[in-house]
Amino acid sequence: RKKVQIYQYVFLKWTLALLIGLSTGLVGFFNNLAVENIAGFKLLLTTNLMMKHRYFLGFATYAGVNAFLAICAGALCAFIAPAAAGSGIPEVKAYLNGVDAHSILAPSTLFVKIFGSVLGVSAGFVVGKEGPMVHTGACIANLLGQGGSRKYHLTWKWLKYFKNDRDRRDLITCGAAAGVTAAFRAPVGGVLFALEEAATWWRSALLWRTFFTSAVVAVVLRAFIQFCRSGKCGLFGQGGLIMFDISSAVPVYNTKDLLAVILIGVLGGVLGSLYNYLVDKVLRTYSIINERSRSFKVLLVLCISLLTSCCAYGLPWFATCTPCPTGITEECPVKNGSGNYKIFQCPPGHYNDLASLFLNTNDDTIRNLFSPKNDHEFYLSTLFVFFVAIYFLGIVTYGIAVPSGLFIPVILAGASYGRLVGRLLGSISSLDVGLFAVLGAASFLGGTMRMTVSLCVILLELTNDLLMLPLTMFVLLISKTVADCFNKGVYDQIVKMKGLPFLEAHAEPYMRHLVAGDVCSGPLISFSGVEKVGNIVHALKYTRHNGFPVIDEPPFSDSPELCGIVLRSHLLVLLKGKNFSKHRALTGSQILRRFHAFDFAKPGSGKGPKIEDVDISEEEMEMFVDLHPITNTSPYTVVETMSLAKAAVLFHALGLRHLCVVPKTPGRPPIVGILTRHDFMHEHILGLYPHMAHHK
Amino acid sequence: RKKVQIYQYVFLKWTLALLIGLSTGLVGFFNNLAVENIAGFKLLLTTNLMMKHRYFLGFATYAGVNAFLAICAGALCAFIAPAAAGSGIPEVKAYLNGVDAHSILAPSTLFVKIFGSVLGVSAGFVVGKEGPMVHTGACIANLLGQGGSRKYHLTWKWLKYFKNDRDRRDLITCGAAAGVTAAFRAPVGGVLFALEEAATWWRSALLWRTFFTSAVVAVVLRAFIQFCRSGKCGLFGQGGLIMFDISSAVPVYNTKDLLAVILIGVLGGVLGSLYNYLVDKVLRTYSIINERSRSFKVLLVLCISLLTSCCAYGLPWFATCTPCPTGITEECPVKNGSGNYKIFQCPPGHYNDLASLFLNTNDDTIRNLFSPKNDHEFYLSTLFVFFVAIYFLGIVTYGIAVPSGLFIPVILAGASYGRLVGRLLGSISSLDVGLFAVLGAASFLGGTMRMTVSLCVILLELTNDLLMLPLTMFVLLISKTVADCFNKGVYDQIVKMKGLPFLEAHAEPYMRHLVAGDVCSGPLISFSGVEKVGNIVHALKYTRHNGFPVIDEPPFSDSPELCGIVLRSHLLVLLKGKNFSKHRALTGSQILRRFHAFDFAKPGSGKGPKIEDVDISEEEMEMFVDLHPITNTSPYTVVETMSLAKAAVLFHALGLRHLCVVPKTPGRPPIVGILTRHDFMHEHILGLYPHMAHHK
């Protein structure tokens, strides 16, 4: 590349990072603003009706609004972009692993993800906006990187530099980090999340770009929140973007407290892995329902919405009324709707503590649970009921056709569990119940998601308390270790359940007992250096391979030898160009003159040419085309006797799509087969060699 | 491996991480305690003499103590462990890149690094303890991972699991992170430092272990500081471990301030790259002196020590006395030695602002420069003189035979430069001068070290101010970009100057014009599958290759084919075993029975057997040995026509030491050559193909 092109590229890279940060920050703020206003208005309406003792109408309003919002969200998801359902983190993770699944990052997905998430969270579901924000960030990055649509001639010339796998993956990593930052206002946590959970290949150059994007998001959010302080944002309070301040509780701890912390960690790990197990079961059940028809999807959403409304409105009736505490700055019981001490059915001067948890936005509930000092704000029974309800609501909610993050349900359940344990151990441990709630949330997060450093830093940035760090780490370490004994992390589970061919970084032990030649599948279709057009068209039509080996044969070489590998997409471009010759001859230099390097650039998702679009006449079928100019002449190769484990390491470390297997002894055809991602999947290998399952 | 072995391994892994954390924390605390007490006592002595107006005796004491400490440090370095001189970060970086240089991490280096650093910093040199702490952490990790000494039969059986490159590198990465944490009390910054600057290969599993180690260090330091609050640690004040609190200055900024910040960043980048340039020149000059003899090394240390003493004691005489400010809690001027407002030659009620900077420990000086609000504490001329003096003292000090970190000199120079600019722009910008000092430090750090995220987080953790984050990032981004136009980062420069064969992650553009076969150097020495002992001994004696290809020939195969690659160290173990046979026959199974897998494990640094130690009789020389059992039968290979750039990517990504180059066309010998790390060095390639320099 020329120097000016390098500058263009670098400039564009940073501009795109800036744009991703700006857009994600904007969307993150819009998301919060919308949720706070819609949910706040809903709660205000309900509370006002209850104040007038019109309890049934109150419930009808509450459940009705919830159901309406839920149906909107479900319909958006079911009819426009089914890929937008769920968290989105597993999909982003798979994309960054190299799975090019269609529509994961399409513009329609982005649209539904944003609005579906707003509607879903406002509808009172036990879902978060964190996973969807990550997906949104990735979608934005993908959209910007594609640079408009080729269909509408909006492609910008400069963006051609980003029409390749690596640059696109880099952008999407930035987008994922921006998403976490926008969700939690945690720039460093966002970077570490992208590093630890999302990205498969990581270069240190990417670190800085990701950090820059995250910082832009943080600045944008900060500016908007500053703007909203003046009260111009309706019901958008300080609640909008979670940021809990627990600094008033000074953590001083002794051995007894550490025992309590260990207990929290172990139990949290067990409950977390149970959560994963149940989510998996529920997802499998739901997928049967969801596959039936789109209306069934919406119906399921409606059912869960009604169930949630009943829980949220019904359970507080069983709670006892508590007299308002004295000496607090907050209003109690709240008169005008959106405060924390809900009066519910209680007499004046009292509040219903369970309603304070249920009839609030999720962010406010978490803040209540994390609040320090006030030990007796919540009854034991309240915490227990809330914990059980949220734990199971969270499980049954994930998997419905609504963009639904897992962070918030897990934090909610974990925080109530932690506060419950803190209350129970109150006589033994001197730690604050608010701290117990934070540790409980950490233990659940560790138990379900199995991330560590990023969770730790996110919690650090959320609670703004450096002194908690060692305890949080300790809890995360224990709960992750305990949970790892039972099953895999929830995101890995979902990736597997969705059947995405995710490539693990570690080769399984049983792979050492196999060699690369053992797993090459299917009949190999190879081309000559100068091949008949008809053969190529036939191969492209009747196989779904993406890479074909090219073998040079006499007269172009002394003996058959591997020339390289040619990609389906490049073959299609070549065929479209119709630069054929009547005779078997090398016409490479002519062909190169006809094409520009960027004609072969990777197109946007799902927009590549198809073999059906290429129109080749009978006469042309008999002609020849020189494949040398489009052949990658130095593909990575392994000898057929190389252990499969080493081949897998090579395949993963270099992020390959095709790996040529060559014979060990001379005198045989110069290529044995091609290994692709699917050949390394456990299902495939164990299907070929079932007895290997013992070695696992 | 059996299940129990896996548990042993995992248990040990975490135990070692814990031990590394504990030891590094302990050493970090000891280091600070010693420095604060020695330097504090020295300053106390000097100040007391000055109070009695015995100025010349004061200078003699000051310079004498400095010279004594300096000679001790220099002698330790020169006579016991020359590898301990300098920062140590470049060496650790090279080790983690796969450079197995002797004595980098030896126990003697550890010893000298700890005590040399204490003496050097106490001696008033413009050096930091940060680089040495990183090196110390890495040495501790290496020592623990080796598990005692085989010589004294102290090897612990379990530690055999760590006798390989990868696990040892992992431990040392943890150690490096622990070192940064111990130096700055910045656990997250430490992890990111290890990730961004130190490690070449990074796995996400390592992230958590590194973080754990850092957290242990943080906890240990915290416990000790808590202990010292009670005053039992002599002169160890709050100064010991840098942690600056600038939170009293609220950063509110507008466009004008941003322009000032850009100015700081650009200038900082230029000055930072100039710093690198000068350090490089000075290092080259010094290396001529240092190579002469050990006494010359000590002499050089003494000269620099006297120069530093003269500057520190002499320059304040030119400063004007300032009346003490009113309304401060600190004592002014200090009566009893170790405070900030030094009286020096001034009348009572006044202080000498330049002496406050010079006659203090480095940590205290930085705290003074970062201190907010007090705009007029330092005169413009004071700041200017201090900046120039420290900038050049820092440059001439690095490279003498004393463990010397680069962080502190750069932060000192940067902070004084920042504060100077802040004072100059005081009328335009509304930012606090303390913030300017922090930004100045950031710009210098970015300009010299070119790290970004880790520096940002370290500064964040040092200054404990989340709100500064965007400005710091902005400055770092600008200064790094500006400085990158001129030269490389200081650590990369030093690595190159030391001639360590560091493998870059990126292939250079000109490598695309070469193929793998072009750079294979030297005559290839290969063995047969069953080889004569004499041939092996000869090859080991007269070449320095570490890997030899093994070629199977008839009658063991139909035609010559590549069997694999065998390592020098394994051959030596095999020869020592003396399992030879009279005839050319496969005796592999017998040999395997005689050896245990761990006999082939990688020994501690520099302790492997040598060919001279192996005693082979004339008769045995004529016998045969079967190499198959110790041959790695599936080495990674590339075809000779593969572009060198792709081969380099493969070599780097998999962290190889040997890469076999095989011929493209059959009928030739089955191996063309072996590529090693040295074959990918620019010097080697450009030596072979000088015209390629144009493509660079």
Side-chain angles (χ1 to χ4, degrees), chain A residues 1-14:
Chain A
R1 279 181 192 173
K2 278 181 237 138
K3 206 135 206 192
V4 60
Q5 289 183 317
I6 291 176
Y7 284 124
Q8 278 184 358
Y9 172 73
V10 169
F11 173 76
L12 206 61
K13 220 166 59 172
W14 286 95

Side-chain angles (χ1 to χ4, degrees), chain A residues 561-562 634 636 646 664-665, chain B residues 561-562 634 646 664-665:
Chain A
E561 60 179 52
L562 181 64
S634 48
Y636 288 106
K646 285 185 87 170
K664 188 174 177 80
T665 46
Chain B
E561 61 180 50
L562 181 64
S634 47
K646 283 185 87 170
K664 188 174 176 82
T665 45

Side-chain angles (χ1 to χ4, degrees), chain A residues 71-91:
Chain A
I71 288 174
C72 290
L76 271 179
C77 247
F79 292 96
I80 300 182
S87 156
I89 293 179
E91 283 87 350

Side-chain angles (χ1 to χ4, degrees), chain B residues 277-296:
Chain B
Y277 175 79
L278 292 176
V279 161
D280 193 51
K281 289 285 163 236
V282 168
L283 271 179
R284 282 170 201 279
T285 318
Y286 282 1
S287 69
I288 301 169
I289 303 173
N290 284 339
E291 269 162 23
R292 284 205 146 176
S293 84
R294 290 173 176 178
S295 340
F296 268 83

Side-chain angles (χ1 to χ4, degrees), chain A residues 75-328:
Chain A
L76 271 179
C77 247
F79 292 96
I80 300 182
S87 156
I89 293 179
E91 283 87 350
V92 172
K93 205 178 156 177
Y95 184 91
L96 291 176
N97 189 260
V99 181
D100 240 357
H102 190 57
S103 82
I104 280 184
L105 300 175
S108 60
T109 311
L110 172 62
F111 172 78
V112 172
K113 204 89 198 185
I114 296 174
F115 291 97
S117 172
V118 168
L119 293 169
V121 175
S122 313
F125 280 125
V126 185
V127 298
K129 53 185 189 291
E130 282 64 31
M133 270 314 298
V134 172
H135 198 167
T136 304
C139 286
I140 290 173
N142 188 48
L143 197 67
L144 286 173
Q146 264 180 48
S149 148
R150 204 179 269 199
K151 210 155 79 188
Y152 305 110
H153 298 285
L154 284 170
T155 313
W156 192 29
K157 213 183 72 194
W158 282 23
L159 285 168
K160 65 195 175 188
Y161 300 121
F162 291 88
K163 293 204 182 293
N164 66 66
D165 269 340
R166 206 184 74 163
D167 283 312
R168 214 166 265 173
R169 267 202 296 260
D170 286 357
L171 284 180
I172 286 164
T173 309
C174 288
V180 174
T181 310
F184 292 112
R185 271 170 74 190
V188 182
V191 174
L192 285 173
F193 173 85
L195 170 70
E196 189 180 6
E197 184 67 18
T200 301
W201 298 285
W202 184 267
R203 292 165 301 117
S204 118
L206 195 53
L207 193 63
W208 180 226
R209 201 131 49 92
T210 317
F211 198 42
F212 174 71
T213 317
S214 297
V216 171
V217 175
V219 172
V220 169
L221 286 182
R222 202 178 147 70
F224 276 117
I225 291 171
Q226 205 80 38
F227 172 77
C228 278
R229 286 250 169 86
S230 52
K232 288 174 195 149
C233 303
L235 296 171
F236 180 85
Q238 53 151 215
L241 288 147
I242 17 176
M243 174 73 93
F244 313 108
D245 208 342
I246 55 157
S247 48
S248 46
V250 180
V252 178
Y253 35 88
N254 53 35
T255 325
K256 265 187 204 159
D257 301 331
L258 282 183
L259 288 177
V261 165
I262 292 175
L263 181 74
I264 287 238
V266 172
L267 272 181
V270 173
L271 288 170
S273 64
L274 181 68
Y275 196 93
N276 286 6
Y277 175 80
L278 293 175
V279 161
D280 193 54
K281 290 284 162 238
V282 168
L283 270 179
R284 283 172 200 278
T285 318
Y286 281 2
S287 69
I288 302 168
I289 303 173
N290 283 340
E291 269 161 24
R292 284 203 144 177
S293 85
R294 289 170 177 183
S295 340
F296 268 82
K297 280 191 185 182
V298 181
L299 208 65
L300 183 62
V301 172
L302 183 62
C303 291
I304 300 296
S305 169
L306 290 177
L307 176 67
T308 310
S309 298
C310 291
C311 281
Y313 197 88
L315 289 176
W317 286 98
F318 301 107
T320 338
C321 291
T322 317
C324 278
T326 49
I328 52 167

Side-chain angles (χ1 to χ4, degrees), chain A residues 28-40 115 118-119 122 236:
Chain A
F29 177 73
F30 164 77
N31 195 324
N32 277 293
L33 187 66
V35 166
E36 292 276 307
N37 274 301
I38 298 177
F115 291 97
V118 168
L119 293 169
S122 313
F236 180 85

Side-chain angles (χ1 to χ4, degrees), chain A residues 55 216 253 299 372 380 425 441 505 519 569 592 623:
Chain A
Y55 296 120
V216 171
Y253 35 88
L299 208 65
L380 271 178
L425 298 182
V519 296
S569 57
L592 270 191
M623 291 169 84

